[in-house]
Amino acid sequence: MTAETGVSAANVDGAARGDVDVPALPARAAPARYPCFDGLRALAALSVVAYHTITEFSPSWYTGVAADWISRLGSFGVCVFFLISGFLLYRPYVLAHFEGRPVPELLPFWKRRFFRIFPAYWVAAAALFLVFQLQNIPTFLDGLTAFGLLQNYRAGYEFYGIGVAWTLVVEVSFYVALPFIAMALRGLAGRTATLGQKLRTQLIGLAAMYVVAIICRVYASDILGSSVAHRGDWLAPSRINWWLIGFLDWFALGMLLAVASAWAARGGRLPRIVHTLGAHPWACWLLALESYWVMVQLNMPIDIYLETEHIQTLGLTVFCGLVAFFLIFPAVFGPQERGGLRAFLTSRVMVFLGTISYGIYLWHIIYVKQVDIWSRDGVLPHNLYVWFLVILGFTLATATISYYVLERPLIRISQRRRAPRPKVGADHS
């Protein structure tokens, strides 16, 4: 998904108000650019495709070590997407805070997010219900639930419609909440805050978000377990871990990268370890691999929404977040034109797959279910590799059409700015 990351120059208040521990910072005129993020989106989307395809058909070799590693790819892909959104979407807000500029306009932000998510989703959902007929819509309220991306807020409907849509519910909730989160952190710092005080407020606020999410996810079943949710109940307290608040920790990690990036953009000093890891992307990915290995070895649950022991839930939350954090880290810090890993992420194939990744994410689960039906009906042979090629082929073709015919034109429309209305009596000569 696209996000606005451009920044404009502005004077920085801070040293002038007695912030002796932070130097006066030069304004940054050029917008930031992160060329590796399309490749990261491709990795996340393909991880989810592999997870759903293999777990749906469960080949004979899907046991032991292979199952341990593959079964967690779904949570990994979702986590990467959430961190990317946290970084790209929050960076303009925190940079504006550091520079003392107004926050990005509310309605244009929501307009861009709406056009980026809903139209392509509506087309895919309509295809699932009306063309492939994989599910039905018994009532108007069920249709509103599915097409309005409200599944997480109605008990028993989390996987209704497109199975992966529950993550879009969380994403959309984040889009709605982000401007208010940003304004709250800015308000807590105060109008007269020095640059250092602004930074500390940001870090404390993100730490609070992280802790609240973990508490919510770990203890929701105990604290709210007495509140039994019946299918169809709206805003059932026992399902709070499905809401945005239950995933704020992952968004907070992406937002932390945004704070560090914005701080560096304004000339602030970062810990030496940041520069070291940024200069050695392979070390970051090695840490990501190590975190994934620990998650597997400690037998963390395969999905974040499973009912598990508290320590398992906490472990999955922390280690899956670390995997995504270290994976994304070299795409934010360090010379973006150097290193084999960055070259891989910015290759034409990965950039293309990242560009159409939203369509891949939406459509693959539809084809997974349809191929399962075809295989049981004898239309396709019972061969995982054939199934995978059919799923991947149909998914890539549909995602490409979706992007170039629907998504890209709507992105351009959503980014148009309305010309200011001329003042009455102005000279137009």
Side-chain angles (χ1 to χ4, degrees):
M1 301 176 200
T2 59
E4 297 74 36
T5 58
V7 301
S8 60
N11 294 327
V12 179
D13 55 2
R17 294 199 182 102
D19 191 359
V20 295
D21 59 329
V22 178
L25 305 178
R28 178 187 176 93
R33 182 174 176 270
Y34 301 96
C36 294
F37 272 80
D38 279 326
L40 290 171
R41 291 189 187 95
L43 281 180
L46 293 177
S47 296
V48 177
V49 172
Y51 164 72
H52 282 129
T53 302
I54 296 173
T55 56
E56 177 74 21
F57 300 107
S58 297
S60 58
W61 51 264
Y62 183 61
T63 58
V65 176
D68 289 339
W69 283 78
I70 293 172
S71 61
R72 292 166 177 83
L73 287 177
S75 295
F76 158 75
V78 172
C79 188
V80 171
F81 276 127
F82 285 179
L83 261 75
I84 288 176
S85 292
F87 172 77
L88 290 178
L89 296 179
Y90 188 57
R91 192 177 187 277
Y93 285 95
V94 67
L95 193 58
H97 185 203
F98 287 160
E99 294 177 343
R101 293 185 287 107
V103 298
E105 294 181 38
L106 192 63
L107 292 182
F109 170 75
W110 283 341
K111 174 186 173 184
R112 291 190 296 271
R113 294 295 91 204
F114 175 86
F115 277 100
R116 189 65 189 98
I117 295 297
F118 277 97
Y121 169 72
W122 284 336
V123 171
L128 179 138
F129 286 114
L130 303 177
V131 179
F132 294 94
Q133 298 183 352
L134 297 174
Q135 293 185 40
N136 56 23
I137 306 176
T139 67
F140 171 80
L141 192 57
D142 289 339
L144 179 63
T145 300
F147 285 90
L149 282 176
L150 301 171
Q151 292 94 319
N152 295 27
Y153 302 107
R154 195 177 179 200
Y157 280 76
E158 291 83 3
F159 297 109
Y160 181 60
I162 298 177
V164 298
W166 71 267
T167 65
L168 300 182
V169 178
V170 178
E171 281 272 5
V172 170
S173 301
F174 178 68
Y175 301 158
V176 173
L178 179 60
F180 300 107
I181 294 173
M183 286 187 284
L185 293 178
R186 187 168 183 148
L188 288 174
R191 294 184 177 181
T192 60
T194 63
L195 196 56
Q197 290 171 337
K198 292 178 180 179
L199 175 64
R200 286 188 287 273
T201 302
Q202 292 286 335
L203 296 178
I204 293 172
L206 296 183
M209 286 174 54
Y210 190 94
V211 171
V212 166
I214 288 182
I215 293 174
C216 171
R217 193 180 296 170
V218 172
Y219 292 105
S221 59
D222 272 1
I223 297 176
L224 305 171
S226 59
S227 176
V228 179
H230 301 285
R231 179 174 173 80
D233 287 352
W234 289 94
L235 300 176
S238 60
R239 311 300 291 174
I240 193 173
N241 55 324
W242 283 89
W243 306 352
L244 171 62
I245 192 173
F247 297 92
L248 281 179
D249 52 336
W250 288 351
F251 286 108
L253 289 175
M255 294 165 71
L256 176 63
L257 290 174
V259 170
S261 172
W263 179 254
R266 302 307 302 155
R269 298 185 182 90
L270 294 175
R272 185 181 299 273
I273 186 64
V274 174
H275 301 288
T276 301
L277 290 177
H280 301 90
W282 61 266
C284 295
W285 280 31
L286 189 61
L287 288 171
L289 183 64
E290 180 74 12
S291 299
Y292 199 100
W293 178 83
V294 170
M295 185 169 59
V296 171
Q297 294 303 308
L298 294 181
N299 196 29
M300 301 301 171
I302 62 174
D303 288 310
I304 48 185
Y305 45 77
L306 295 179
E307 298 294 337
T308 58
E309 296 294 331
H310 295 172
I311 189 64
Q312 288 181 301
T313 303
L314 177 62
L316 178 68
T317 296
V318 172
F319 283 102
C320 201
L322 288 176
V323 173
F325 183 85
F326 287 123
L327 186 83
I328 294 173
F329 198 93
V332 177
F333 301 104
Q336 297 300 299
E337 72 284 355
R338 297 182 185 177
L341 292 178
R342 294 191 181 104
F344 165 68
L345 291 175
T346 56
S347 64
R348 289 186 177 181
V349 172
M350 293 302 290
V351 169
F352 172 73
L353 292 175
T355 300
I356 65 170
S357 60
Y358 184 45
I360 293 174
Y361 192 74
L362 285 176
W363 285 91
H364 82 277
I365 193 65
I366 297 176
Y367 290 120
V368 167
K369 299 299 182 184
Q370 186 60 49
V371 165
D372 182 43
I373 294 173
W374 285 338
S375 64
R376 286 189 276 108
D377 291 344
V379 177
L380 291 176
H382 288 269
N383 186 301
L384 175 66
Y385 304 105
V386 173
W387 295 337
F388 185 78
L389 288 176
V390 171
I391 292 168
L392 190 62
F394 275 109
T395 298
L396 293 181
T398 310
T400 301
I401 295 171
S402 174
Y403 179 77
Y404 286 102
V405 174
L406 179 63
E407 297 170 46
R408 188 170 70 168
L410 289 176
I411 291 172
R412 291 175 174 173
I413 291 174
S414 69
Q415 291 176 344
R416 291 176 183 170
R417 291 184 176 273
R418 181 181 297 179
R421 299 176 64 181
K423 295 182 180 180
V424 177
D427 183 5
H428 300 292
S429 59

